[in-house]
Amino acid sequence: MNGVRERLASRGFSVIAVVIAVLWTTPTFGLLLSSFRPEGEIKTTGWWTTFGSPHLTLDNYGEVLFGTGNASGRLADHLVNSVVITLPSVLFPLVLAFFAAYALAWIDFKGRDALVVGIFALQIVPLQMALVPLLKLFSQGWLFLPAWDSTGPARFGHVWFAHTVFALPFAVFLLHNFLAALPRELIEAARVDGASHGTLLLRIVLPLARPALVSFAILQFIWVWNDLLVALTLSGGTAETAPMTVKLAALAGTRGNEWQRLTAGAFVSALVPVLVFFALQRHFARGLLAGSVKG
């Protein structure tokens, strides 16, 4: 193990890492630089020509955020819809999976192991395969959800439900692996002292499970924020309920040549998940590795 670490820390591997990083970030840098270029230059010259004759402008961002024309983005209006869709779609599976993972890790009941295997197997079911059955259920006003012909904020419930249901298998699997790796002596000592399951959850397990909870929250946030198919299908795609991704898909114009709007809109849409990731990144690596090794 020490030999592997020494090799990874050598100068050769450092140079390789730098080269990979440069190659990986060059397209993103070009996209960022293009978002500040005038429309005429974007459509006629490459982004690298900016270094020879720099002409930068904020008009592209002003157009996609606050433009008044029919072709403008007005992403500022759809930003609220993205937040309204994403936050509940993260919190609902996070809370439900936390309770389920605790029960599967520390409460003995018949069929527990089979249930864990079944939940793990559900991860292979793609959300796209269930869109038609979901639409059929929603059209009948299924359970507590509003009918499909409802309008306005009520349509968000369909998107929340879809993202929550299909996020639960991975969330339960990730949190179960972490909670099952907690020291048994700690849990048993708390039980001997008379701690109930509620006390164990809130005062002992919850603080220890923070890295795993944050890791899932970041992954789910990025997934839902960047989702187009579910939001377009289940929210109706109207201006009242459509998130930023739906509007971004229309920024290219009818002929797909409005590149100046796409470059600026892409970075406006990416700003929020990037900020979320950097704010919580110190928990991310710990949470992904949580429960992978015991002992």
Side-chain angles (χ1 to χ4, degrees):
M1 181 63 69
N2 292 332
V4 174
R5 291 179 179 177
E6 291 178 358
R7 291 179 182 178
L8 293 177
S10 64
R11 181 175 298 178
F13 277 96
S14 299
V15 172
I16 294 175
V18 171
V19 172
I20 293 175
V22 171
L23 294 177
W24 186 271
T25 57
T26 295
T28 305
F29 176 75
L31 187 66
L32 175 61
L33 195 60
S34 297
S35 68
F36 291 101
R37 302 180 68 209
E39 177 182 354
E41 294 188 6
I42 291 179
K43 295 181 178 180
T44 56
T45 59
W47 60 268
W48 52 88
T49 60
T50 305
F51 298 106
S53 56
H55 297 97
L56 304 180
T57 178
L58 293 176
D59 292 343
N60 298 333
Y61 286 93
E63 182 181 0
V64 300
L65 286 173
F66 311 108
T68 57
N70 293 331
S72 62
R74 294 196 63 83
L75 290 182
D77 296 340
H78 297 273
L79 175 63
V80 178
N81 292 340
S82 290
V83 173
V84 171
I85 288 175
T86 304
L87 290 183
S89 298
V90 173
L91 293 177
F92 290 161
L94 190 66
V95 174
L96 294 175
F98 179 63
F99 288 115
Y102 174 82
L104 293 172
W106 294 105
I107 299 179
D108 294 326
F109 57 90
K110 187 176 181 180
R112 183 181 66 174
D113 295 338
L115 185 58
V116 172
V117 174
I119 292 175
F120 175 77
L122 286 175
Q123 295 183 70
I124 66 174
V125 180
L127 175 58
Q128 294 80 2
M129 188 179 70
L131 283 179
V132 174
L134 285 176
L135 288 173
K136 184 177 180 180
L137 291 174
F138 294 158
S139 64
Q140 301 171 358
W142 185 60
L143 294 179
F144 55 88
L145 294 171
W148 178 247
D149 57 357
S150 61
T151 58
R155 295 294 292 270
F156 290 133
H158 303 115
V159 186
W160 296 340
F161 180 83
H163 281 303
T164 298
V165 169
F166 282 87
L168 280 174
F170 174 70
V172 173
F173 174 73
L174 177 66
L175 295 177
H176 170 266
N177 284 351
F178 183 87
L179 298 185
L182 293 177
R184 179 168 294 275
E185 295 79 7
L186 179 63
I187 304 299
E188 295 297 337
R191 287 176 176 174
V192 171
D193 292 338
S196 62
H197 288 299
T199 302
L200 284 171
L201 274 171
L202 298 178
R203 297 188 177 183
I204 297 178
V205 177
L206 181 59
L208 294 175
R210 184 179 302 172
L213 293 172
V214 171
S215 296
F216 171 75
I218 291 176
L219 293 174
Q220 179 69 357
F221 187 95
I222 295 175
W223 169 261
V224 177
W225 186 271
N226 293 328
D227 170 73
L228 172 62
L229 179 61
V230 176
L232 181 62
T233 305
L234 300 184
S235 70
T238 62
E240 187 179 6
T241 58
M244 296 181 67
T245 50
V246 174
K247 190 60 179 179
L248 278 174
L251 282 181
T254 56
R255 299 182 180 181
N257 61 344
E258 300 299 333
W259 305 333
Q260 77 284 356
R261 295 205 301 261
L262 280 178
T263 55
F267 274 92
V268 171
S269 178
L271 180 61
V272 174
V274 167
L275 293 177
V276 170
F277 175 79
F278 280 109
L280 303 175
Q281 64 173 333
R282 63 191 183 96
H283 299 286
F284 187 66
R286 291 176 55 197
L288 289 181
L289 296 176
S292 59
V293 180
K294 295 184 179 180

